[in-house]
Amino acid sequence: ADRLPVAPSTLPQPTQASPAALPPREALRLRIRWVQELQIRLVRDVARRAGADPERMGLLRWPELVTALRGDGLPADLHLRGAPSATPPLPDSFRLADGGVVVAERTRGRGDSLRGVSAGRAVGTAWDGLGKRPPDAVLVVRTLDPALAPLLPGLTGLVAQTGSPLSHLAVLAREFHLPAVVGAPDAVRRFPVGARLTVDGTAGDVQLGDGS
């Protein structure tokens, strides 16, 4: 098999941030995320060079990927492997019962879990990350998925049903000085696309309307 060299200059650079200015735990999380991003992009780059399906190449174990990079070919059973079965998303709040069964837990009331993770106050239009972005978009999502990072530049605010101050997206929100609130129960349902929202990342609050 042909070798699959990966020129360092072709690899995307990590998301720009300032880890030296962050608390140690957040800086560590950010660096770990950089490594994860580079691994994913490396797999895609190898797949492109090999003319293979990136999703199929993503089923390789790390030693197998290294073997492929050395030009020693792909595993003979790769075409037989299947992606892990999709599972329903976890409830926003849950516990593990006996046998590892996931049991949803009720929140004590609206707003009791709200938390600001990036200071500032902004008014904008709710957006789910799909379709046309409004000029004052407040991204409203279920979880702080790191894959949403490219959407952050230009946002007015960020609201999520789950998340923590140490989430990768929360760290980036602070880097972008983007007001962000997490722990907003049923946010995706309560704040539909097009709704006017007031996001207060300092107080940890989000409300319908322009706050006037």
Side-chain angles (χ1 to χ4, degrees):
D2 294 333
R3 288 187 176 275
L4 303 172
V6 179
S9 60
T10 67
L11 291 177
Q13 295 301 307
T15 305
Q16 294 300 312
S18 303
L22 298 173
R25 288 184 62 185
E26 293 188 4
L28 178 60
R29 287 175 62 92
L30 191 58
R31 288 187 171 95
I32 291 173
R33 183 59 198 171
W34 284 352
V35 172
Q36 293 172 336
E37 289 177 355
L38 287 174
Q39 288 175 334
I40 292 170
R41 295 177 187 185
L42 174 61
V43 170
R44 291 175 180 170
D45 190 68
V46 171
R48 178 181 61 80
R49 291 165 180 268
D53 178 8
E55 296 299 324
R56 180 64 54 185
M57 194 69 77
L59 299 176
L60 290 175
R61 301 175 184 87
W62 187 251
E64 294 172 338
L65 181 64
V66 173
T67 297
L69 285 170
R70 290 172 177 166
D72 295 331
L74 299 172
D77 67 341
L78 182 59
H79 68 288
L80 299 175
R81 298 182 187 180
S85 301
T87 57
L90 290 172
D92 290 347
S93 179
F94 67 91
R95 61 182 174 83
L96 291 179
D98 294 341
V101 177
V102 174
V103 178
E105 290 190 327
R106 294 179 178 274
T107 55
R108 291 185 297 275
R110 291 191 191 279
D112 65 344
S113 59
L114 278 171
R115 184 174 187 180
V117 296
S118 181
R121 188 175 186 274
V123 177
T125 303
W127 181 54
D128 61 359
L130 304 173
K132 185 176 181 180
R133 178 199 290 230
D136 57 352
V138 174
L139 184 62
V140 181
V141 293
R142 194 171 174 275
T143 62
L144 292 182
D145 187 341
L148 297 171
L151 300 180
L152 263 59
L155 287 179
T156 296
L158 174 64
V159 177
Q161 293 182 188
T162 64
S164 77
L166 297 181
S167 298
H168 178 63
L169 231 59
V171 173
L172 292 182
R174 291 193 287 276
E175 288 292 316
F176 284 112
H177 304 288
L178 180 69
V181 172
V182 300
D186 301 323
V188 172
R189 180 183 61 81
R190 290 195 296 133
F191 307 134
V193 173
R196 296 291 292 171
L197 298 180
T198 298
V199 181
D200 192 331
T202 303
D205 190 28
V206 55
Q207 298 289 338
L208 283 168
D210 60 8
S212 59

